[in-house]
Amino acid sequence: MLNEVAGIKIPDTILARNAQDILREHGGDLLWNHSNRAFLFGAITGKRANKKFDLELLYISALFHDLGLTKEYSSPDLRFEVDGANAARSFLLHYQVPEESIRLVWDAVALHTTVGIAEHKESEVSLLNSGVSLDVVGKGFEQFPVDLIEEIIKAFPRNNFKQDMIPAFYEGFKHKPETTYGNMNSDVIKFFEPNYKQKNYCELLLHSPWKD
């Protein structure tokens, strides 16, 4: 494991190393490289903006943020983001991490796909969201230093990330498509199952039990 990439020191604590082992065991190269890139993009963004944040908590959040897509941590009925957040909370409770730190990590993982909200939360939450957004859809790509992007990609290669990530999402929640209602993950279900009937908010409102 590298000690430093693009001017960011990779946390080398017991927490960080054990979280790395969990992701390595269950996430494979795809999630491993993506999670580390998301962390580095987020940390660099925070550093450039002079934000105060806990580097270790941001790293733990990044390592757990997609763990809910894996068979080991996927529940039958919760959003994959919540599965990852719950896994992170259980992990941190085992090490008697302070409650406030656990809450920050839970929020960062649970909200990392929630556009329009995560960016207004605490630094650890907003930076994970920005790091993930940059790595997945290229949000902020044009403003990010090219030399740092190249260094990060060299350390944690993309390896056809665009082609592989959508199927990885689908495998993570195809058994519970109803959990994608109201969030961007519904696009993944529609990509693979164009005939799937997703809930419609207006229909739910109009067919509610109220008599008015």
Side-chain angles (χ1 to χ4, degrees), residues 158-169:
R158 290 184 65 84
N159 294 336
N160 297 314
F161 178 77
K162 283 185 179 181
Q163 289 72 31
D164 294 341
M165 195 61 209
I166 296 177
F169 277 130

Side-chain angles (χ1 to χ4, degrees), residues 50-117:
N50 292 316
K51 285 191 173 185
K52 292 183 179 180
F53 62 96
D54 188 306
L55 192 68
E56 183 183 39
L57 292 183
L58 179 61
Y59 190 48
I60 299 297
S61 300
L63 294 177
F64 274 88
H65 88 277
D66 274 346
L67 206 62
L69 294 173
T70 67
K71 291 181 179 180
E72 181 69 21
Y73 291 95
S74 179
S75 71
D77 58 354
L78 298 177
R79 283 179 56 161
F80 89 87
E81 301 96 329
V82 173
D83 287 334
N86 288 342
R89 179 167 56 197
S90 296
F91 171 78
L92 295 173
L93 282 171
H94 181 74
Y95 293 94
Q96 299 181 330
V97 171
E99 183 178 342
E100 176 62 14
S101 296
I102 294 176
R103 185 193 63 78
L104 273 177
V105 172
W106 196 96
D107 282 357
V109 177
L111 296 173
H112 80 267
T113 63
T114 307
V115 178
I117 293 179

